[in-house]
Amino acid sequence: MSIVITLVGLIGVIMGRQALVRTNRRIGSARPKAIAALLLGLTGIVASGLHLAISSGGFGTGSGRAGAIVAMVLGFIGAAFGWLALARSKQTAGHGSLR
């Protein structure tokens, strides 16, 4: 279970990083990837929190607590990248409009 949650968080980090790079280059729209990274990061945070709350046993027992902690950190990073890319895409959208 924690492997799947970790993969969700890792995909969120990758998509958030791609969205940040895209907002720096101003090529295309980074909003869909930023929103996806934000949602995947938040999903990873919630799922790993639930896994930590439900799992019994300590580290090294095979319950996946260490993996859930890694997934939570990756979820935070992915959500932060998505939020930053979303904020940057809103700023660049305001500067490019003709009034």
Side-chain angles (χ1 to χ4, degrees):
M1 176 77 171
S2 64
I3 293 174
V4 175
I5 300 169
T6 304
L7 286 175
V8 168
L10 184 62
I11 292 170
V13 169
I14 291 169
M15 290 186 78
R17 180 71 180 134
Q18 288 176 349
L20 276 175
V21 169
R22 186 168 281 189
T23 57
N24 287 338
R25 293 183 184 167
R26 298 183 198 326
I27 299 173
S29 175
R31 280 184 65 86
K33 281 193 177 186
I35 292 170
L38 184 62
L39 290 176
L40 284 170
L42 292 176
T43 303
I45 292 168
V46 170
S48 62
L50 286 173
H51 184 73
L52 283 172
I54 293 172
S55 66
S56 60
F59 296 110
T61 60
S63 64
R65 292 181 68 90
I69 291 171
V70 170
M72 187 174 283
V73 170
L74 287 175
F76 276 121
I77 294 170
F81 280 171
W83 180 77
L84 283 172
L86 195 59
R88 284 185 185 177
S89 69
K90 286 182 181 179
Q91 286 178 350
T92 58
H95 291 295
S97 62
L98 296 174
R99 293 183 190 187

